[in-house]
Amino acid sequence: MNILKGKVCEVNYQDDLILVKINCENEIFKVLMLAPFKELTLDQELQMLFKEHELCFASLNSNLSVENSFKAKISKIKEGKLLYHVFFKFHDQELSSLITKEKALELKLCQNQEWLCFIKANDIILRTNNA
């Protein structure tokens, strides 16, 4: 499970939907959730959780339709028979992604490469520090 720490910077409600904007390392992440969710306050510290298969990445000059995109460097790669576990450094935080061995070889992944990572807004779960 990936965890990023951030602070709430905006909360918008529409019917049964909530769009929360979170500042994490000066990048704004958008999280789309179904209401109800306990009250969120501006500057509230929380954690964003998402699974390894929900973190995707692309070459740096890609244009994407995904809300949450940011640059990160590969810090290490664990090679398996079927899957590669790719670890990224995002400022002082670590993230990881699982991809097939075939795709990893096609992309010619190696340490210290910078990639554009992205997470769909509805793939993030929020957890307050009180949880």
Side-chain angles (χ1 to χ4, degrees):
M1 182 68 67
N2 289 305
I3 300 173
L4 287 176
K5 297 176 183 176
K7 286 186 177 183
V8 175
C9 58
E10 188 176 322
V11 181
N12 296 298
Y13 297 88
Q14 179 183 329
D15 300 323
D16 289 340
L17 294 176
I18 305 171
L19 179 65
V20 183
K21 292 184 182 179
I22 298 155
N23 185 328
C24 176
E25 308 288 359
N26 292 319
E27 297 277 351
I28 302 300
F29 286 76
K30 297 176 184 174
V31 180
L32 186 61
M33 304 181 304
L34 293 174
F37 188 81
K38 65 180 173 179
E39 223 27 64
L40 294 172
T41 58
L42 292 181
D43 293 324
Q44 180 179 358
E45 292 183 0
L46 45 70
Q47 297 174 332
M48 297 181 287
L49 291 77
F50 51 96
K51 298 175 185 168
E52 283 81 1
H53 70 274
E54 294 167 335
L55 174 68
C56 302
F57 53 96
S59 59
L60 293 179
N61 295 323
S62 299
N63 286 324
L64 304 171
S65 63
V66 178
E67 290 289 346
N68 302 306
S69 60
F70 53 93
K71 294 178 184 177
K73 276 190 178 179
I74 294 176
S75 57
K76 66 182 171 186
I77 302 170
K78 288 186 180 177
E79 300 176 6
K81 289 182 182 179
L82 299 176
L83 297 174
Y84 274 30
H85 198 167
V86 183
F87 292 84
F88 292 89
K89 192 76 167 173
F90 175 63
H91 297 274
D92 290 332
Q93 302 186 60
E94 184 178 69
L95 303 170
S96 68
S97 179
L98 291 171
I99 64 170
T100 63
K101 177 181 180 176
E102 183 178 341
K103 183 52 84 172
L105 294 174
E106 178 186 322
L107 293 172
K108 299 177 182 167
L109 299 179
C110 61
Q111 269 188 288
N112 295 318
Q113 283 180 327
E114 192 171 43
W115 288 85
L116 182 65
C117 296
F118 52 96
I119 312 158
K120 294 189 315 184
N122 60 327
D123 284 340
I124 299 174
I125 300 167
L126 297 181
R127 176 172 64 191
T128 64
N129 290 338
N130 299 336

